[in-house]
Amino acid sequence: MDKTVEILLAEDNLADVVLFREALSSTSWDFRLHVAHDGMETLDFLRQRNTHSGAPRPDLVVMDNNMPRKSGLEVLTEVMSAPSLSDIPVIIMSGSEWERSMVTSFGIPEDRYIVKPVTFSGYLDVARQIESIWRKTANR
């Protein structure tokens, strides 16, 4: 990819943000990572409102399902119903495998539901997986 990929990470756990950023940095991907710490801030970023009025439109959203103020599924519902946002690829990360069927019932492809890793090497694998998903999506 020639352009810098704008990634919005919606994650309320600072340790996960750090691990995700470090793992992405180990790839050859040219990206800029933006972080929203809860569901409402995620929507503000996506809609470029309040403190995010100058935010870039993300090329990809990676979102924790369990966030304060609005869950990942609540945010996903709003994103999918907004014509101006529905074409942004969304990857859901969760600490639990059992939420996969619930998330995929929203129309998210199975490979876009990722169980959060518990080790840094797991985050490295996730970073490569997300890069692969992005490249497939961008080539469509």
Side-chain angles (χ1 to χ4, degrees):
M1 304 270 101
D2 294 326
K3 94 177 201 72
T4 299
V5 179
E6 302 287 347
I7 301 172
L8 174 58
L9 174 62
E11 174 61 64
D12 62 317
N13 183 315
L14 182 57
D16 287 335
V17 171
V18 170
L19 289 169
F20 188 78
R21 183 184 312 270
E22 290 300 313
L24 280 180
S25 295
S26 73
T27 69
S28 60
W29 210 2
D30 183 17
F31 70 93
R32 186 173 20 221
L33 186 66
H34 309 274
V35 179
H37 300 285
D38 62 48
M40 290 300 295
E41 185 180 4
T42 302
L43 289 171
D44 284 349
F45 189 98
L46 290 167
R47 292 184 175 141
Q48 299 173 318
R49 64 184 183 201
N50 299 325
T51 60
H52 297 288
S53 62
R57 183 178 196 275
D59 299 303
L60 176 68
V61 176
V62 179
M63 184 167 36
D64 181 12
N65 190 39
N66 300 307
M67 291 186 294
R69 295 177 50 191
K70 273 197 186 271
S71 72
L73 290 179
E74 289 172 311
V75 173
L76 181 61
T77 300
E78 291 193 39
V79 167
M80 292 178 73
S81 67
S84 63
L85 302 175
S86 62
D87 63 330
I88 300 173
V90 176
I91 295 173
I92 301 289
M93 286 186 30
S94 176
S96 148
E97 178 64 41
W98 69 268
E99 293 175 338
R100 180 181 302 274
S101 63
M102 182 172 46
V103 170
T104 57
S105 72
F106 278 75
I108 295 293
E110 179 102 7
D111 68 337
R112 292 195 197 168
Y113 180 86
I114 298 173
V115 176
K116 275 187 190 180
V118 293
T119 64
F120 183 66
S121 65
Y123 270 94
L124 292 172
D125 292 340
V126 164
R128 287 188 288 273
Q129 183 180 357
I130 289 172
E131 182 180 14
S132 174
I133 291 168
W134 164 250
R135 290 189 186 284
K136 283 184 219 170
T137 304
N139 288 331
R140 285 188 193 149

